[in-house]
Amino acid sequence: MKADPEYLTRFMGSLFPDQKRLGEIQAVYDNLTLLGQLLGAGTDITSMRQDFQELASVLLDQLAREHYKKAKLNLSSCARVAIDILVRNLFERTADIGFLATDNEIRTFAESVAADPMAARDEERLARLHSHFSEYVAKYSVYHNIMLLSPSGDVLAQLDPSNTVKQTSDRLLNEALTTSQGYVEIFRPTDLLPDEPSPLIYAYRVMADDGSRPVGVLCLCFRFMDECQRIFDSLVSE
């Protein structure tokens, strides 16, 4: 990106009236110089004309630099606010995974599949769980998919029907099953979302009702790019 004020001046619309006015004055000097030469009045304002031209150039250059400085400070301020908002929003989302991983509907389904793998094919229960996921995303639209995995990596249920992944070998699974932290977060390629170059996913284990063992892993897939775009659009004017 070029930061040369002379280059950037052409994009500074607020400078155009000043450029126009100074250009008009310059044209008057040009006309007076030509008129003096034609009439032979003996008055040479060439030096005055050159001085004004130099002064106008200095003035426009200084105005351009001030506009650039102001825009830079404004964008810097917006950038800090954007990052603060994004960090805050992501921090709030870390609470979602811990909360939803203890949801009774999700835990019951995962536990029933752990006891009987055929339960994963129960269309009625799958539809009910899908509806449960949809209701949650309707409240928190920052997620584009919710996935429930078995401890072995099978995809038991997910919100997005266009995602055809049936199983994962991503290390995220083992990390979510064994972590001592409140959640696992990744922002990198994963076989869970093969069509996304760097998805942001929060994951945590789903425990059995008695807390004795993990019966699944819940993954919340965050709309990272959409959230960034929304924040930027709200802060940066055209």
Side-chain angles (χ1 to χ4, degrees):
M1 176 183 176
K2 295 183 179 180
D4 179 21
E6 185 176 350
Y7 167 78
L8 295 174
T9 297
R10 72 188 71 176
F11 306 109
M12 298 179 181
S14 56
L15 281 185
F16 295 164
D18 296 322
Q19 290 175 320
K20 182 180 179 182
R21 182 58 181 153
L22 290 172
E24 291 172 349
I25 297 174
Q26 184 68 47
V28 172
Y29 273 108
D30 292 341
N31 291 335
L32 288 175
T33 300
L34 180 59
L35 186 60
Q37 292 173 351
L38 291 174
L39 295 177
T43 303
D44 186 5
I45 62 170
T46 302
S47 177
M48 186 184 302
R49 171 180 169 277
Q50 290 176 345
D51 289 344
F52 177 80
Q53 187 175 11
E54 292 175 2
L55 182 62
S57 178
V58 170
L59 176 60
L60 287 173
D61 180 70
Q62 189 59 37
L63 285 172
R65 291 180 185 278
E66 289 300 318
H67 278 290
Y68 174 69
K69 184 189 299 183
K70 183 179 179 181
K72 196 174 172 183
L73 288 172
N74 181 58
L75 288 174
S76 177
S77 176
C78 287
R80 286 195 296 270
V81 173
I83 294 300
D84 288 345
I85 293 174
L86 183 60
V87 169
R88 184 199 67 192
N89 289 358
L90 292 179
F91 180 75
E92 290 175 352
R93 300 288 73 81
T94 62
D96 294 346
I97 184 64
F99 169 75
L100 204 57
T102 61
D103 181 88
N104 187 60
E105 186 87 24
I106 296 173
R107 183 179 64 241
T108 301
F109 182 84
E111 195 165 12
S112 66
V113 174
D116 178 13
M118 293 301 294
R121 301 183 180 180
D122 188 328
E123 295 297 332
E124 184 178 344
R125 297 189 70 177
L126 279 170
R128 190 162 60 244
L129 187 60
H130 188 276
S131 176
H132 195 57
F133 287 166
S134 297
E135 290 175 4
Y136 193 81
V137 170
K139 294 179 182 178
Y140 304 97
S141 59
V142 293
Y143 301 113
H144 66 88
N145 198 8
I146 298 178
M147 307 177 75
L148 178 61
L149 314 176
S150 72
S152 61
D154 294 322
V155 178
L156 302 179
Q158 62 176 319
L159 178 63
D160 184 4
S162 66
N163 187 17
T164 59
V165 173
K166 301 299 182 183
Q167 191 173 41
T168 180
S169 58
D170 196 293
R171 65 181 183 273
L172 167 70
L173 180 70
N174 185 61
E175 291 173 359
L177 289 169
T178 60
T179 184
S180 59
Q181 303 299 315
Y183 59 92
V184 172
E185 177 185 16
I186 66 167
F187 184 52
R188 57 168 172 76
T190 171
D191 60 4
L192 285 168
L193 298 171
D195 295 331
E196 297 188 34
S198 294
L200 176 59
I201 299 177
Y202 295 98
Y204 196 66
R205 56 184 171 269
V206 178
M207 299 298 292
D209 189 40
D210 61 5
S212 60
R213 69 193 192 285
V215 292
V217 169
L218 188 68
C219 299
L220 299 181
C221 307
F222 189 81
R223 296 181 184 274
F224 184 74
M225 296 307 296
D226 289 358
E227 183 69 2
C228 288
Q229 190 63 55
R230 185 189 67 78
I231 293 172
F232 296 155
D233 287 345
S234 68
L235 290 173
V236 182
S237 66
E238 291 186 22

